[in-house]
Amino acid sequence: MAKVMMKGNEAMALAAIKGGCKAFFGYPITPQSELPEYLAKHMHKHGGVFLQAESEIAAINMVYGASGAGARVMTSSSSPGIALKQEGITYMAGAQLPAVIINVMRGGPGLGGIQPSQADYKQVTRGGGNGDYYVIAFAPEDLQETVNIIKEAFDVADQYRNPVMIAVDGLIGQMMEPVDLDIEVPKRELAEKTWATIGTYGKRPPVNINSLFLDPQGLENHSWNLAKKYNTIKEKEQRYEMVNMKDAELVIVAYGTMSRIVRSALEELNKEGIKVGLLRPITIWPFPEKAFKEIPESVKGILTCELSTGQMIDDVKIANNGKLPVGFFGRTGGMVPEPEEIIKAVKDMLGGLK
Amino acid sequence: MSKVVFEKTKGLTNKEFSYCPGCTHGIIHRLVAEVLEELDILDRTIGISPVGCSVTNYEFFNCDMQQAAHGRAPAVATGIKRVRPDNIVFSYQGDGDLASIGTAEIVHAAHRSENITVIFINNGIYGMTGGQMAPTTLVGQKTTTSPYGRDEKHCGKPIKISELLSAVPGATFIERVSVHNPAHVRKAKKAIKKAFEVQIAGKGFSLVEFISTCPVNWGMKPQDALNWAEENMIAYYPLGNFRTPEEDDK
């Protein structure tokens, strides 16, 4: 299939169908509502289930049930709705259930606003609910990358039996871009879901989907088993892009829409002879710590750019481990910067470093 | 030659119940399990355990089970049933779970007429957390969080779930039963059977509410608790059928 012009939310919905999604449960919220609307129209044509739940809480618990019954299942929401889903997400992590969750991020805290934001970074990357767990979180920067990752995400979720979140800001959801939905994505070797509750049919003993361990030793064992899994994910699933690193004086760390604005800024800076690289996390959990080992010796500092007041910067500082000075530039509340603002932040930081 | 006159149902595992002496969970578990066996649906049934005293009942029911977050069992059941419509799906929930934190989920499962069966246990108290007031606690009843007795001016009158859900157009079958004596145990089993038959026939949402006891947190001996349930609970929560499929009414 050739490239087609599609709105982000609709392309994400179609990507889910192409990724084998067989059930969707969601609740309307701006700026992601076109996604469930598209699935309401098309899911049944692909043998799938679409159901609008009474709340985000109900939706994620429907996802829990459907996933526990072996289905490839997805939900989508936006920041405050994702906050409501955290109960179900931690239960799914505890019960080791796969699912894909799309978060079209908007400004917060509270009801916040409906414009694009990256202020959910900590909600997304710190588990978000109670207990020792993480969700695997992708933060693509354009629609093509987003649809490719959504198609792959169902395999990733199944492989690790863990929720996978796609965290995009409202711009990616709302913008129209040319996109090819049929680009092949890597397939993973997946085990049969022998744990799924589909009825015994006299063929096996009953199975149970559960996150309850009343015996503390049992819960400790379970938690360390999860930790082992998360360590494997940290080792194998870090994904990032390094741009313009050769002889760079400064490295910008940015993801999502912010990294696209940074790219424009880099072009301008390059014309002025100022060499700045971009370290673009594609996974924000696991955070691409490996990328920081590839930062060349020429780099004198790191500038973190976010659509927030500064959340990813904590991970940047951990990965940097005190090696280089770390600066910050951010816009938030739905305000999106012009490249010139980033150029100024770069020059200010470089001026301070000299 | 000895003859077997009573056998444990295949619907239950050999795991010993964890319930307090005199608690009626055991009776209700057995009734549900017997019905699953008698209707020959045990091997295609998926049950949902709640949060509450019966939180570990996945160890007791001899079928596939999912443990749900507090109050969310009807949503979990919805997720399962929508992707596996040929399976039989039931949730088992107490009054804290269903009548308090999970009111949205139960009302909307009924509203959509999800083709599931709900076993609802009403003993008017939070058992597992140590005897706190439930939405179903009777006026004047003392609990650890209504130490002077439930005052309706302070926290309202007890909620009547069967009556409330009967007002939801999607609710297909609603019946309130009790297990305080053998005659009512038999009636209760008939209601459970009917509820599952409604699901098997694809007729939509079914719920059986059980008047139950909590001797430990009520501070009563088991027999006194059964008597108290009969005299006080049933007086406020009348037994009987509230909704049945239309074709049966003709």
Side-chain angles (χ1 to χ4, degrees):
Chain A
M1 190 172 130
K3 284 192 173 183
V4 287
M5 279 295 279
M6 277 187 94
K7 191 168 189 170
N9 285 330
E10 294 184 339
M12 287 193 271
L14 180 54
I17 292 171
K18 300 238 176 202
C21 179
K22 288 292 174 210
F24 177 92
F25 303 95
Y27 186 79
I29 184 171
T30 308
Q32 61 83 55
S33 293
E34 297 87 356
L35 197 162
E37 284 168 3
Y38 186 93
L39 291 175
K41 211 169 178 180
H42 298 286
M43 197 66 157
H44 67 280
K45 299 175 196 164
H46 303 270
V49 171
F50 168 88
L51 184 65
Q52 182 169 318
E54 64 270 30
S55 68
E56 284 91 350
I57 296 173
I60 193 69
N61 282 287
M62 290 172 188
V63 169
Y64 178 101
S67 174
R72 279 204 152 176
V73 55
M74 184 170 93
T75 187
S76 67
S77 192
S78 178
S79 311
I82 294 290
L84 282 169
K85 288 185 199 286
Q86 295 299 345
E87 175 193 69
I89 296 171
T90 169
Y91 271 69
M92 294 186 75
Q96 301 203 72
L97 292 179
V100 173
I101 300 158
I102 294 182
N103 180 4
V104 185
M105 295 185 283
R106 60 187 248 184
L111 199 47
I114 56 169
Q115 300 299 323
S117 169
Q118 296 178 331
D120 285 5
Y121 183 89
K122 286 188 179 170
Q123 181 178 234
V124 172
T125 59
R126 263 60 185 166
N130 61 303
D132 274 339
Y133 81 95
Y134 295 95
V135 299
I136 302 164
F138 291 93
E141 71 167 352
D142 62 22
L143 197 48
Q144 186 64 60
E145 187 174 50
T146 304
V147 302
N148 291 354
I149 284 174
I150 289 171
K151 282 159 68 181
E152 193 184 349
F154 289 94
D155 268 21
V156 177
D158 280 347
Q159 180 183 345
Y160 293 108
R161 291 185 58 186
N162 202 74
V164 171
M165 192 175 286
I166 317 293
V168 295
D169 52 72
L171 263 175
I172 294 174
Q174 291 297 318
M175 199 162 47
M176 284 187 89
E177 284 196 273
V179 61
D180 183 346
L181 268 303
D182 289 325
I183 292 176
E184 286 284 320
V185 297
K187 294 270 171 223
R188 308 213 173 190
E189 261 186 51
L190 300 174
E192 200 192 331
K193 294 180 176 178
T194 52
W195 44 265
T197 58
I198 54 171
T200 65
Y201 290 95
K203 289 177 191 157
R204 56 154 174 79
V207 292
N208 177 30
I209 300 296
N210 183 29
S211 66
L212 177 70
F213 295 81
L214 286 171
D215 165 33
Q217 188 57 65
L219 183 55
E220 188 186 35
N221 296 346
H222 175 61
S223 300
W224 284 119
N225 284 339
L226 291 179
K228 206 171 145 189
K229 176 170 86 175
Y230 294 131
N231 283 334
T232 305
I233 296 167
K234 277 185 198 169
E235 188 50 46
K236 294 192 171 166
E237 303 296 339
Q238 288 185 30
R239 209 177 284 190
Y240 55 92
E241 185 187 3
M242 303 292 260
V243 182
N244 231 21
M245 282 292 164
K246 193 167 180 294
D247 300 327
E249 296 175 71
L250 192 83
V251 164
I252 294 177
V253 184
Y255 67 97
T257 290
M258 188 54 123
S259 66
R260 293 177 75 175
I261 302 165
V262 168
R263 283 178 196 269
S264 302
L266 295 195
E267 278 177 34
E268 288 303 312
L269 286 162
N270 205 33
K271 282 180 198 160
E272 294 181 35
I274 303 169
K275 290 188 170 170
V276 179
L278 168 65
L279 188 166
R280 181 173 74 89
I282 300 171
T283 53
I284 51 175
W285 198 91
F287 189 70
E289 292 178 356
K290 289 178 183 176
F292 287 74
K293 296 194 175 78
E294 298 174 24
I295 293 175
E297 288 298 319
S298 56
V299 171
K300 299 196 211 64
I302 298 172
L303 179 65
T304 306
C305 295
E306 301 178 50
L307 296 176
S308 78
T309 59
Q311 299 196 19
M312 179 177 67
I313 188 170
D314 292 356
D315 280 339
V316 171
K317 285 179 177 173
I318 292 168
N320 177 54
N321 202 13
K323 200 177 158 197
L324 293 165
V326 176
F328 178 75
F329 170 80
R331 294 296 303 271
T332 193
M335 296 303 290
V336 179
E338 297 292 334
E340 290 70 29
E341 296 175 65
I342 291 162
I343 291 167
K344 183 176 179 302
V346 166
K347 288 179 177 173
D348 286 351
M349 188 168 176
L350 280 172
L353 291 173
K354 273 167 188 166
Chain B
M1 196 68 164
S2 62
K3 200 175 119 199
V4 176
V5 290
F6 182 79
E7 240 183 330
K8 187 174 77 66
T9 166
K10 288 189 184 73
L12 291 174
T13 65
N14 290 325
K15 179 90 179 173
E16 208 172 299
F17 284 152
S18 50
Y19 303 116
C20 304
C23 169
T24 53
H25 266 313
I27 297 169
I28 301 161
H29 279 33
R30 178 166 65 82
L31 296 180
V32 171
E34 283 176 357
V35 167
L36 295 178
E37 185 187 6
E38 286 164 22
L39 292 174
D40 197 22
I41 52 175
L42 186 62
D43 67 351
R44 63 181 171 116
T45 293
I46 303 163
I48 327 284
S49 310
V51 172
C53 292
S54 53
V55 63
T56 60
N57 71 9
Y58 50 77
E59 295 186 332
F60 308 138
F61 286 111
N62 196 18
C63 58
D64 281 3
M65 297 290 290
Q66 292 197 17
Q67 200 288 317
H70 199 23
R72 317 299 178 217
V76 172
T78 298
I80 299 170
K81 189 73 179 186
R82 292 288 177 139
V83 299
R84 299 202 58 90
D86 295 336
N87 285 86
I88 299 300
V89 179
F90 78 93
S91 75
Y92 188 107
Q93 304 174 255
D95 43 359
D97 195 88
L98 184 145
S100 190
I101 196 168
T103 43
E105 286 76 13
I106 195 65
V107 167
H108 284 273
H111 151 70
R112 292 187 302 266
S113 204
E114 289 297 336
N115 194 28
I116 59 170
T117 300
V118 177
I119 305 297
F120 169 44
I121 314 301
N122 176 4
N123 63 2
I125 205 158
Y126 282 77
M128 193 171 77
T129 46
Q132 292 81 17
M133 184 182 69
T136 44
T137 298
L138 296 184
V139 170
Q141 193 178 349
K142 286 183 180 173
T143 69
T144 57
T145 52
S146 58
Y148 309 108
R150 181 180 189 142
D151 175 0
E152 63 177 272
K153 286 185 189 136
H154 174 63
C155 49
K157 291 177 185 172
I159 192 166
K160 295 182 175 184
I161 287 293
S162 287
E163 287 84 344
L164 184 147
L165 291 178
S166 298
V168 177
T172 307
F173 179 83
I174 308 278
E175 189 156 324
R176 186 185 285 126
V177 298
S178 176
V179 288
H180 66 275
N181 67 28
H184 278 91
V185 168
R186 279 194 291 276
K187 272 191 188 167
K189 186 172 172 182
K190 277 185 192 152
I192 300 170
K193 199 166 212 167
K194 186 70 208 276
F196 278 101
E197 282 168 350
V198 165
Q199 183 180 166
I200 291 165
K203 290 178 180 170
F205 183 84
S206 56
L207 177 142
V208 183
E209 174 176 351
F210 292 79
I211 297 302
S212 180
T213 61
C214 184
V216 170
N217 287 304
W218 288 2
M220 295 178 199
K221 290 177 181 167
Q223 184 57 51
D224 295 339
L226 291 171
N227 295 342
W228 194 87
E230 185 179 11
E231 285 159 22
N232 298 281
M233 298 276 284
I234 294 172
Y236 184 78
Y237 297 112
L239 305 182
N241 184 275
F242 292 85
R243 283 292 279 266
T244 196
E246 283 162 6
E247 44 270 50
D248 295 345
D249 291 337
K250 286 170 194 165

